Amino acid sequence: MRRFLSALMFFCVQAVAQDYPAKPVRVVVPYAAGGNADIWARVLAQKLTEALKQPFVVENKPGANGGIGTDFVAKSAPDGYTILAVASGPIVVNPVLYAKVTYDPLKDLVPIAQCVVYQYVLVTRAEAPYKSIRDLINAARERPSALSYGSTGAGGGNHLAGELFALAAGATLIHVPYKGSAPALADLLGGQLSFMFDTVITSVPHIRSGKLRAFAVSSAQRASSLPDVPTMQEAGVKGFDISQWQGVLAPAGTPRPIVEKLNAEIVKAMHAPDVHERIAVQGGNEIVTGSPEDFAALIRKELQQYAKLVKDAKIPAQ
């Protein structure tokens, strides 16, 4: 009888997956409309709508560095009809940086597919006296707390890249948080900041126009849109590797066949030529996909890495 019930349950789950989706799917984006993650989510949702013949409807739920929307999905029914299109912050940074997080990314969510990686590029004004990363490090060591860098806020990827750089340089730097990359970049160009780890896509026009000097990208691999710019490790900063990803997760307990079906369709969509053009060529991101297990391993690894960085840099709980 037990074997019969198990077999019956298996076939029921398979049947549900075959019929999935039978109604519209809510795609929660835990940020305001118009940003990098929102644009990617809408491009992906359109491809899934076309492939699966049901609307994948993007719904923005911003707040708490992505925590509000993430918590909403974590507490939703695990039926495949509410999924999360998210950048890495709410999943691997919030749980180790914030004093109180209302969800557990390992217990309350199941990874479906990683989709994108985006790097940061270390830039200064072209008129700045620093000609190399070594010049910047030497200046930071010689003048403690004199050099400043901007970010999109505490816990953002470019803030954490700056903290990792301070640790690698053995120097004290001043972090200046902004409400977005645009005002931070404006102050860098205006001379109010010493340097910045900016997203590649927003810095490329200023690098090509000669207004910014690019020293290195933050990840272990070069950016396709800046092929002549070395990585931080190539530039002499050993062990430096920090980037952000975007991916799709669902509430824990979502049937495995649905996870697998979504993974297959998402991977296919991300490698479509029109998606590559919009996300990689125009958006300056790198398309990186894999299995749900690959994505889960990445999340576990980065939770440990960011916990260590927060501890080593003595970043206070937010």
Side-chain angles (χ1 to χ4, degrees), residues 12-26:
C12 287
V13 170
Q14 292 293 328
V16 168
Q18 287 178 1
D19 293 337
Y20 173 87
K23 61 181 181 179
V25 176
R26 173 188 287 177

Side-chain angles (χ1 to χ4, degrees), residues 94-126:
N94 287 13
V96 301
L97 182 64
Y98 285 83
K100 183 178 180 181
V101 175
T102 55
Y103 56 89
D104 184 324
L106 299 180
K107 295 180 180 179
D108 298 334
L109 294 162
V110 58
I112 295 175
Q114 181 187 0
C115 298
V116 169
V117 168
Y118 60 96
Q119 305 120 311
Y120 298 97
V121 56
L122 175 57
V123 289
T124 65
R125 285 185 308 130

Side-chain angles (χ1 to χ4, degrees), residues 30-274:
Y31 315 102
N36 192 37
D38 178 69
I39 292 170
W40 151 72
R42 291 178 186 277
V43 170
L44 177 60
Q46 180 59 40
K47 298 298 287 187
L48 293 176
T49 296
E50 295 169 2
L52 294 173
K53 311 304 181 185
Q54 285 287 349
F56 279 69
V57 182
V58 171
E59 183 175 327
N60 299 92
K61 289 186 176 295
N65 196 29
I68 291 175
T70 300
D71 180 69
F72 176 84
V73 173
K75 292 177 170 56
S76 295
D79 55 9
Y81 290 98
T82 301
I83 59 177
L84 178 70
V86 67
S88 49
I91 307 301
V92 297
V93 176
N94 287 13
V96 301
L97 182 64
Y98 285 83
K100 183 178 180 181
V101 175
T102 55
Y103 56 89
D104 184 324
L106 299 180
K107 295 180 180 179
D108 298 334
L109 294 162
V110 58
I112 295 175
Q114 181 187 0
C115 298
V116 169
V117 168
Y118 60 96
Q119 305 120 311
Y120 298 97
V121 56
L122 175 57
V123 289
T124 65
R125 285 185 308 130
E127 298 84 2
Y130 323 113
K131 306 301 180 184
S132 67
I133 287 182
R134 180 52 52 188
D135 289 344
L136 193 61
I137 290 174
N138 289 340
R141 289 175 176 172
E142 292 166 4
R143 302 165 55 205
S145 300
L147 271 63
S148 61
Y149 68 95
S151 83
T152 55
N158 41 17
H159 168 218
L160 296 175
E163 295 285 0
L164 185 60
F165 183 54
L167 288 171
T172 302
L173 304 168
I174 301 300
H175 170 227
V176 183
Y178 291 79
K179 292 184 178 180
S181 60
L185 194 57
D187 274 4
L188 176 64
L189 290 166
Q192 283 76 48
L193 297 171
S194 306
F195 69 93
M196 183 176 173
F197 282 92
D198 189 33
T199 52
V200 169
I201 186 61
T202 50
S203 275
V204 161
H206 300 292
I207 294 169
R208 291 177 177 167
S209 70
K211 293 180 180 179
L212 290 178
R213 179 180 294 130
F215 289 137
V217 294
S218 63
S219 61
Q221 295 183 339
R222 295 192 182 196
S224 57
S225 54
L226 292 172
D228 297 328
V229 177
T231 67
M232 291 288 286
Q233 296 187 53
E234 289 174 334
V237 185
K238 294 182 179 180
F240 197 106
D241 181 8
I242 190 167
S243 59
Q244 300 286 290
W245 49 255
Q246 293 167 344
V248 179
L249 300 94
T254 298
R256 176 69 186 187
I258 290 178
V259 170
E260 291 176 347
K261 187 172 187 176
L262 282 171
N263 175 271
E265 292 297 338
I266 289 169
V267 170
K268 187 189 302 181
M270 291 306 302
H271 290 282
D274 55 335

